[in-house]
Amino acid sequence: MSLNLGVLVSGRGTNLQSLIDKSTSGEIDAKVAVVLSDNPDAYALKRARKAGIPAIYIDPCTTKPVLVGEAEVEYMKVLNEYKVDLVCLAGFMRIIKENFLNEFKWRLMNIHPALLPSFKGLHAQKQALEYGVRFSGATVHFVTGHVDGGPIILQAVVPVYKDDTEETLSERILAEEHRIYAEAIELFAKGKIEIRDNRVITGGLDE
Ligand code: GAR
């Protein structure tokens, strides 16, 4: 049975676009059922609407970077209305708190543009460049109570070159983000993800 995805976005939405494209082409056994945003001007909302997917702005009702109160209830309500099996954060710049985490326990993933647990938070690619690491990458993980924390599902490594700028490194990482987010969702859809002692054990897609 195909998975119903609920994708939460705040910005331009290239990860969302990649998921829309890969679900349409059948590369992942999932469809984007609904897109929610805390930002009415997010370009991601336009991408969803263009693809005929319901795209809803829900007022976060706060300037704090957390999703709480009425807004949290509203997000959960809409996700359940659309019978969402898996919630994918794709550049959603708010912290998810307990009620939401409990409602979607082990059904809530995030993509981050660094090799976690290094370089959490904003501007991960800039942080990596400033630190001088030789390799960085992307991480897909289940969301728990910590910002950019939680059991890691997949990671991909990219080299960092001497002449890299934030833009060139971000672009190299982004290609990997798009690839591993789809792969993690496909593993989930095929029931190949197991959680043991708070760690993720994955089977191969071909097994
Ligand atoms: C992506 O690079 C994603 O990994 C990052 O925001 C960007 C969204 O781009 N997320 C985080 O930094 C989460 N801490 P997109 O809107 O083009 O998908």
Side-chain angles (χ1 to χ4, degrees):
M1 196 192 66
S2 176
L3 279 184
N4 270 346
L5 304 180
V7 185
L8 272 53
V9 293
S10 299
R12 64 189 171 169
T14 69
N15 275 286
L16 167 69
Q17 189 66 57
S18 156
L19 295 181
I20 293 173
D21 294 346
K22 285 171 178 142
S23 69
T24 311
S25 69
E27 204 175 311
I28 54 174
D29 193 12
K31 78 160 206 257
V32 181
V34 65
V35 173
L36 303 181
S37 181
D38 60 336
N39 170 13
D41 302 321
Y43 187 66
L45 289 173
K46 289 208 176 84
R47 292 180 189 268
R49 288 178 190 134
K50 197 166 167 220
I53 298 165
I56 304 167
Y57 159 66
I58 301 177
D59 187 344
C61 305
T62 170
T63 50
K64 298 208 179 90
V66 285
L67 195 60
V68 284
E70 277 172 46
E72 184 191 52
V73 171
E74 190 60 22
Y75 273 84
M76 292 193 294
K77 193 176 117 213
V78 177
L79 290 167
N80 283 322
E81 268 167 20
Y82 281 89
K83 300 194 174 0
V84 163
D85 303 300
L86 177 67
V87 180
C88 298
L89 307 185
F92 186 64
M93 295 308 182
R94 297 216 175 235
I95 298 163
I96 308 281
K97 302 294 276 188
E98 265 154 61
N99 294 337
F100 197 122
L101 293 174
N102 290 337
E103 180 84 6
F104 292 97
K105 193 161 195 240
W106 303 120
R107 297 194 293 136
L108 179 51
M109 290 183 185
N110 181 41
I111 181 88
H112 185 72
L115 293 174
L116 292 173
S118 294
F119 312 128
K120 295 176 176 175
L122 296 175
H123 309 294
Q125 304 92 332
K126 185 160 177 267
Q127 292 183 52
L129 278 179
E130 284 173 0
Y131 201 93
V133 292
R134 301 292 190 268
F135 294 91
S136 190
T139 304
V140 187
H141 64 94
F142 282 117
V143 179
T144 57
H146 308 98
V147 178
D148 295 323
I152 290 170
I153 304 166
L154 289 176
Q155 291 188 304
V157 178
V158 306
V160 180
Y161 299 126
K162 279 202 291 288
D163 53 355
D164 262 333
T165 60
E166 192 181 347
E167 288 68 37
T168 57
L169 178 59
S170 299
E171 201 180 320
R172 197 172 307 121
I173 291 173
L174 195 61
E176 293 303 306
E177 291 185 37
H178 295 169
R179 186 177 66 76
I180 64 171
Y181 216 172
E183 195 177 326
I185 291 166
E186 188 61 1
L187 286 168
F188 186 94
K190 296 238 168 346
K192 303 260 181 181
I193 296 183
E194 196 189 320
I195 293 114
R196 258 188 247 158
D197 300 329
N198 239 29
R199 282 178 51 206
V200 172
I201 316 287
T202 61
L205 275 176
D206 312 326
E207 288 164 21

